[in-house]
């Protein structure tokens, strides 16, 4: 039996740059892909997290999380189908469905768990499902499509998608995409996508992880009732933890019966549910924060572009600064850290090879002074 560590260590070493002539070799040759868990320095200005509205530290969320914890306990004790469903949780799902404008909604502990288990439950509904996926979809969407051949369309390219839909006819087809792309900060044309889906008799599955709370009327996302299935996460703009899937009552009932990630998993912790309850009260009232976020995004893109740095098609609170190779992205993240700014270098395989980048994720919680410091640091890149 091979020793597991003996198998692992050379593979980890292969992710490190080689050491030549006493120094680290930078540039295009060696990969710098090894990831490390580092404690976060709370003194840094955070433009790396997804707390777009600053709700994770909002007093109302913290208070409601404490109330739910006091009332329901620190844990939910069991799967939703065993003893993990309270009347308050059912009411919260109704509130969420109302927010999304759907008949029903279902809450999961994480978005990864949701995407990777809801999609397989949908693909079970009829024989020979076909799935059309944007090339830049999040890893959790890929996980959900495992076992099926994904027919991938060029990123946000509806012409290409239409060609593929025509080339691959079928009775039971899904288009799976994000509404706002997590690493590029651009968004899909949801109205056009849904019209295309309708023309070709395909269903639209929309991941609103980075749109929920930030875009659309009152921060309700870009779906506006145009997708068969919508999901979003609760740990980003909504400030807590977990994820929701929203759609018809029948869809949610099917998931309760057939979605393994729901059935065989402990219900989300009461604190997360309390935080969500408060976030749903606050988010529709936060238009001023959304406007400021959009203005900050535009200012940051202008500052980066002034330095000749590519920000791709970003039009949201997520702003990539594409630097090419891993070494450059890591060096830029280090330089910004020295200037007191926390921004993360994103490297392959999270993004395509050759497009390593800094990913700025802005938050309405940044003060004007903090944002000025971010712009000043960017000017020195
Ligand atoms: C587009 C997208 N979908 C799903 C997820 C997964 O959500 P969670 O972090 O709740 O697991 C993420 C998380 O980063 C994401 O960016």
């Amino acid at each position: 039996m091979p020793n597991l560590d003996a198998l692992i260590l050379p593979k980890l070493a292969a992710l490190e740059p080689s050491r030549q002539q006493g120094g680290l070799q930078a540039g295009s040759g060696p990969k710098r892909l090894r990831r490390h868990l580092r404690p976060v320095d709370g003194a840094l200005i955070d433009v790396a997290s997804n707390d777009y509205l600053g709700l994770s530290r909002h007093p109302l969320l913290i208070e409601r999380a404490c109330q739910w914890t006091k009332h329901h306990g620190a844990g939910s004790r069991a799967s939703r189908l065993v003893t993990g469903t309270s009347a308050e949780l059912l009411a919260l799902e109704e509130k969420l469905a109302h927010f999304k404008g759907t008949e029903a909604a279902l809450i999961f502990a994480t978005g990864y768990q949701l995407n990777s288990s809801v999609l397989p439950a949908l693909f079970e509904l009829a024989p020979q499902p076909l799935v059309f996926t944007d090339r830049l979809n999040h890893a959790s969407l890929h996980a959900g499509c495992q076992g099926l051949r994904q027919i991938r369309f060029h990123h946000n390219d509806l012409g290409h998608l239409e060609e593929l839909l025509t080339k691959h006819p079928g009775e039971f087809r899904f288009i799976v995409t994000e509404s706002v792309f997590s690493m590029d900060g651009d968004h899909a044309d949801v109205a056009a996508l849904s019209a295309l889906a309708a023309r070709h008799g395909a269903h639209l599955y929309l991941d609103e992880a980075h749109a929920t709370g930030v875009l659309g009327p009152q921060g309700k996302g870009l779906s506006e009732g145009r997708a068969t299935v919508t999901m979003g996460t609760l740990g980003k703009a909504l400030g807590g933890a977990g994820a929701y899937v929203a759609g018809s009552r029948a869809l949610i009932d099917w998931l309760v019966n057939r979605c393994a990630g729901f059935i065989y998993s402990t219900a989300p912790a009461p604190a997360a549910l309390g935080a969500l309850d408060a976030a749903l009260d606050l988010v529709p009232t936060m238009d001023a924060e959304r406007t400021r976020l959009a203005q900050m995004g535009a200012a940051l893109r202008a500052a980066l572009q002034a330095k000749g740095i590519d920000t791709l098609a970003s039009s949201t609170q997520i702003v990539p600064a594409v630097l090419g190779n891993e070494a450059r992205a890591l060096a830029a993240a280090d330089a910004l850290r020295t200037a007191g700014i926390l921004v993360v270098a994103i490297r392959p395989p999270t993004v395509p090879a050759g497009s390593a980048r800094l990913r700025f994720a802005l938050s309405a919680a940044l003060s004007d002074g903090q944002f000025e410091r971010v712009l000043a640091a960017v000017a020195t890149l």
Side-chain angles (χ1 to χ4, degrees), residues 21-98:
Q21 294 165 351
L24 283 181
Q25 195 189 42
S28 58
K31 296 284 174 260
R32 306 194 64 176
L33 298 178
R34 179 141 184 201
R35 299 165 192 239
H36 298 275
L37 291 172
R38 292 197 180 90
V40 176
D41 177 351
L44 298 175
I45 297 172
D46 181 359
V47 279
S49 304
N50 304 312
D51 189 12
Y52 304 126
L53 296 174
L55 286 181
S56 76
R57 295 190 180 267
H58 194 288
L60 192 66
L61 268 79
I62 294 171
E63 184 192 312
R64 202 80 60 88
C66 292
Q67 275 172 6
W68 278 60
T69 300
K70 280 189 185 136
H71 192 239
H72 296 280
S76 53
R77 306 190 314 278
S79 156
R80 291 281 300 276
L81 287 164
V82 181
T83 52
T85 300
S86 62
E88 289 87 344
L89 173 46
L90 292 174
L92 184 59
E93 286 176 334
E94 269 184 38
K95 189 168 168 177
L96 193 48
H98 178 72

Side-chain angles (χ1 to χ4, degrees), residues 368-380:
D368 288 344
Q370 287 175 320
F371 186 54
E372 285 304 320
R373 277 186 58 195
V374 173
L375 292 182
V378 160
T380 67

